[in-house]
Amino acid sequence: DCDSLRTVSIGDSVKEIEVAAFSNDAVLKNVSIGAGLQTLGSGVFAGSNQLSSLSLSEANTYLTYKDGV
């Protein structure tokens, strides 16, 4: 648990985020995902109720937004 992590920037070389990696992070607000991320584990941001911004690199060809999510 981390009680001061407000912003996370996932670099282009990261290919996977493990299951529940940022779950229940009470203060996480912003996440930026780089071009290389291919896999998000189940419940990665579950319970992170303050999360208000998730951006995905336009160069990322593995993940897509659907219906704004």
Side-chain angles (χ1 to χ4, degrees), residues 1-62:
D1 287 335
C2 182
D3 59 3
S4 62
L5 188 63
R6 288 176 173 42
T7 300
V8 172
S9 180
I10 309 298
D12 291 339
S13 64
V14 176
K15 297 196 181 311
E16 178 179 6
I17 298 176
E18 296 288 331
V19 171
F22 299 102
S23 65
N24 298 311
D25 189 322
V27 297
L28 182 62
K29 292 186 177 191
N30 307 296
V31 176
S32 174
I33 296 175
L37 191 68
Q38 299 175 24
T39 305
L40 287 170
S42 177
V44 170
F45 302 110
S48 296
N49 298 329
Q50 296 299 312
L51 184 60
S52 60
S53 172
L54 179 67
S55 63
L56 178 62
S57 169
E58 290 182 13
N60 187 305
T61 58
Y62 304 102

